[in-house]
Amino acid sequence: MHRRNLLTGGGALLVAATFTQTQGARAQAAPVENRDSEFMNFAIEEAKKGDRPFGAVIVREDKVLALGRDSTKRNSDPTAHAVMVAIRAFLAGHEPDAFKNTTIYSTAEPCAMSMGAILWCGIPRLVYAASIKELAALIPQIDISADYVAGQASFADIGITGGLLSGNALRLLQ
C-alpha cells in the first residue's frame, strides 16, 4: 500500500482488520476436566424434557446451580433456548456477580444470541457437546461459532471445550 493512501484513510481497513484480530483473541481452548462428562449428562437429561432436545446446566464448585431446557414453544418465546433459560434460572436466585467461577454445559454449541449472553454474564468457561457444524447437518443453524463470537468480545475471557459427548447429544435430534 502506498504511504499516501495509508495517511489519507486508504489503510483504514488494514488497520481495522489488524485491531480486530488482536483485540478479540480472548477465547481459549480449555481441557476436559474431571467431572465434565457427569455435568454434560445432566444437560443431556434436561434436553430430553425440552420442546426441542437442547439442555444446559450451570455449575460452580461441582454443584449444579441452574438447569435449562429449550422452552421456545411452551413459553411462546423464540429466545428461550436452553442456555438462556439456564441463565435466567440462575439469575432468579443469584446476583450477576455470582457467575464468576461457573461453568455452563450445553448439549449444543451456543448460537450467537446465547453465546453473547454467556459473555455478557462473564461466565468464564463453556463446555458444549454438538458443534454448530454437526447440528447443521441435521437441523437449520446460523453458521456462527461460539469461538467466533467470543473472539469478537474484547471485554471477556472464556475457556471453551467442545465436542464432549457430542454423539449422545446428536442422537436426541434423530
Side-chain angles (χ1 to χ4, degrees):
M1 176 174 290
H2 190 275
R3 179 175 54 91
R4 181 177 298 144
N5 286 344
L6 184 60
L7 293 174
T8 60
L13 290 177
L14 176 64
V15 173
T18 302
F19 182 72
T20 302
Q21 289 174 352
T22 58
Q23 86 173 23
R26 312 268 321 243
Q28 295 185 0
V32 173
E33 295 182 5
N34 287 343
R35 296 186 66 193
D36 284 349
S37 292
E38 178 183 344
F39 293 121
M40 183 59 74
N41 277 318
F42 278 110
I44 289 169
E45 288 305 310
E46 195 65 15
K48 293 175 183 177
K49 304 171 196 168
D51 295 342
R52 296 179 304 152
F54 298 106
V57 179
I58 297 175
V59 174
R60 183 177 52 230
E61 297 173 358
D62 293 334
K63 182 178 177 189
V64 174
L65 300 176
L67 300 168
R69 65 182 76 123
D70 181 275
S71 301
T72 53
K73 292 179 186 171
R74 75 186 78 183
N75 292 352
S76 297
D77 179 357
T79 69
H81 293 194
V83 165
M84 301 296 289
V85 171
I87 288 171
R88 291 172 185 146
F90 183 88
L91 288 170
H94 303 86
E95 293 296 317
D97 285 347
F99 281 118
K100 292 177 183 165
N101 301 316
T102 60
T103 297
I104 189 161
Y105 295 84
S106 176
T107 58
E109 182 175 2
C111 69
M113 172 190 66
S114 295
M115 190 61 195
I118 290 168
L119 294 166
W120 283 115
C121 289
I123 296 172
R125 184 163 181 261
L126 161 67
V127 179
Y128 67 83
S131 72
I132 295 282
K133 296 285 185 204
E134 291 172 310
L135 294 167
L138 300 171
I139 59 174
Q141 289 294 303
I142 297 172
D143 190 10
I144 300 175
S145 71
D147 282 331
Y148 178 81
V149 175
Q152 303 308 303
S154 62
F155 59 87
D157 292 318
I158 187 164
I160 300 176
T161 305
L164 181 67
L165 302 180
S166 177
N168 296 6
L170 289 168
R171 275 192 283 285
L172 298 176
L173 292 165
Q174 298 171 351

